[in-house]
Amino acid sequence: MSIQWYPGHMEKARRQVTEELKRVDMVIELADARVPLSSRNPMLDSILQDKPRLLVLTKSDMADPNVTDQWLEYFKNEGTEAVALNALQNKGAKPLIEKSQKVTAPLFEKMKRKGIRPRAIRAMIIGIPNVGKSTVINRLVGKKTAKTGDKPGITKAQQWLKVGRDMELLDTPGILWPKFENQLVGYRLAATGAIKDELLDFEDISLFTVNLLKTRYPSALLERYNLDTLPEEDRALFEKIGQKRGLLQLGGYIDEEKCAEIILRDVRGQKLGRISFETPEDWRHLEEDNEMNPE
């Protein structure tokens, strides 16, 4: 299955981001801690250019903590300022502001030398749909200012929001890019809920998810679905889960659509624990493959 999603409002948002950059000191880029690279928009590098940037890994409470630590080390080695944020438990706001102050320090030192009075940091907050942007904003601001939801595409317009005396945030709609060069990126985003479910083949995405769980989190599968063993074939495992969930239809066939829905709902609802869909090592292998097999 080829996964693509680029609603018209996203093209408009891309133009707005480009136009508004001159009004901000820095950009706070949000990425899903479960898929830190897959959830980063590669278009941003060309759009943002040299604008100071802080990468915030959202939903860290849903990701494998060991893998998140690997990602923070990875970004550190890449020279990227990054911080993991657990928005639901209101943890990580102070580190985010401190990191933002670090990122913008050279700019404010320059302003100070010019005799410009100190002011709050003006930051643009940006990320792909359903990355947890509205939830992060509400935690930072301290009240329910932005709409939140578990579906992508909630934010459709821009707005300025104050974070105490330290920061002013310019919220922007989530932006996906026109084409996923690697379909693994599309599958990972689909599994985590970044792409509207109405556009997906649930069974295909759930089989991808089952394969990942079987490979990296087998004990979670065994426990959640009360399984004795894990079949080697993904399809056989999928059907076994359906049987355990009582989804047999007339003729002994599994209700595949319902089974796929249950698996994805369980994963997104953390019924199988904290799961990461990619590691830095995955991307190193991908980069090596691309070097060996250029188009």
Side-chain angles (χ1 to χ4, degrees):
M1 180 184 69
S2 179
I3 302 172
Q4 304 297 340
W5 183 47
Y6 196 60
H9 79 269
M10 291 187 181
E11 173 57 28
K12 179 181 178 182
R14 185 191 66 79
R15 293 195 301 269
Q16 289 176 334
V17 168
T18 302
E19 294 169 0
E20 297 292 344
L21 271 178
K22 59 181 176 291
R23 300 176 59 191
V24 300
D25 305 314
M26 65 171 294
V27 172
I28 297 176
E29 179 190 357
L30 304 185
D32 190 323
R34 299 168 296 175
V35 282
L37 281 188
S38 289
S39 59
R40 297 186 73 186
N41 189 334
M43 285 170 49
L44 289 183
D45 288 336
S46 60
I47 295 172
L48 302 183
Q49 297 183 10
D50 296 328
K51 183 70 68 173
R53 191 185 334 185
L54 172 64
L55 178 63
V56 177
L57 302 184
T58 64
K59 304 186 180 184
S60 63
D61 54 301
M62 301 178 71
D64 184 327
N66 294 325
V67 177
T68 298
D69 287 342
Q70 293 176 33
W71 278 114
L72 290 174
E73 185 66 21
Y74 169 88
F75 290 122
K76 180 180 178 181
N77 293 335
E78 292 286 314
T80 300
E81 288 289 343
V83 62
L85 187 66
N86 183 336
L88 294 178
Q89 296 183 10
N90 201 19
K91 294 180 179 179
K94 184 177 179 181
L96 189 155
I97 293 174
E98 290 176 347
K99 287 275 189 178
S100 296
Q101 292 170 336
K102 178 180 179 181
V103 167
T104 57
L107 172 64
F108 278 85
E109 282 295 325
K110 184 177 180 180
M111 292 168 63
K112 184 178 179 181
R113 290 195 298 270
K114 290 184 177 181
I116 300 175
R117 295 178 60 184
R119 58 166 173 76
I121 298 171
R122 294 170 184 163
M124 177 188 293
I125 188 164
I126 194 168
I128 69 168
N130 206 30
V131 77
K133 182 155 55 68
S134 295
T135 301
V136 170
I137 289 172
N138 289 336
R139 292 297 183 182
L140 287 174
V141 175
K143 57 184 177 180
K144 192 170 184 180
T145 302
K147 293 181 180 179
T148 62
D150 60 357
K151 294 183 179 180
I154 294 294
T155 305
K156 295 288 182 66
Q158 295 177 325
Q159 55 181 327
W160 280 101
L161 304 165
K162 287 189 176 182
V163 181
R165 298 180 179 180
D166 298 310
M167 183 180 292
E168 295 177 356
L169 290 177
L170 177 61
D171 186 18
T172 60
I175 307 176
L176 277 177
W177 50 103
K179 180 182 179 181
F180 302 132
E181 297 299 332
N182 187 294
Q183 280 299 301
L184 270 177
V185 170
Y187 274 92
R188 289 165 181 164
L189 292 177
T192 55
I195 300 174
K196 288 184 177 180
D197 288 340
E198 295 85 350
L199 303 174
L200 303 176
D201 181 335
F202 257 33
E203 184 181 343
D204 200 26
I205 301 302
S206 68
L207 285 171
F208 162 80
T209 305
V210 162
N211 177 270
L212 180 139
L213 292 169
K214 179 185 66 177
T215 304
R216 298 185 178 174
Y217 303 97
S219 59
L221 272 176
L222 291 169
E223 181 178 351
R224 175 61 183 170
Y225 301 112
N226 194 27
L227 304 174
D228 297 322
T229 58
L230 298 179
E232 292 185 10
E233 293 294 326
D234 297 337
R235 168 62 64 177
L237 176 53
F238 176 86
E239 293 183 354
K240 193 170 184 179
I241 291 173
Q243 292 170 2
K244 286 289 186 177
R245 280 291 181 263
L247 301 178
L248 284 176
Q249 298 177 308
L250 290 177
Y253 297 104
I254 295 295
D255 186 336
E256 296 177 342
E257 182 176 348
K258 186 65 176 177
C259 184
E261 181 182 336
I262 286 174
I263 291 170
L264 290 180
R265 188 175 64 225
D266 283 353
V267 169
R268 295 173 183 175
Q270 289 186 267
K271 302 299 184 182
L272 289 96
R274 300 172 67 172
I275 293 170
S276 290
F277 285 78
E278 63 186 11
T279 68
E281 195 63 25
D282 293 334
W283 281 88
R284 293 191 187 98
H285 289 319
L286 179 60
E287 291 170 354
E288 291 172 0
D289 291 341
N290 290 339
E291 291 175 359
M292 294 178 63
N293 302 292
E295 293 185 0

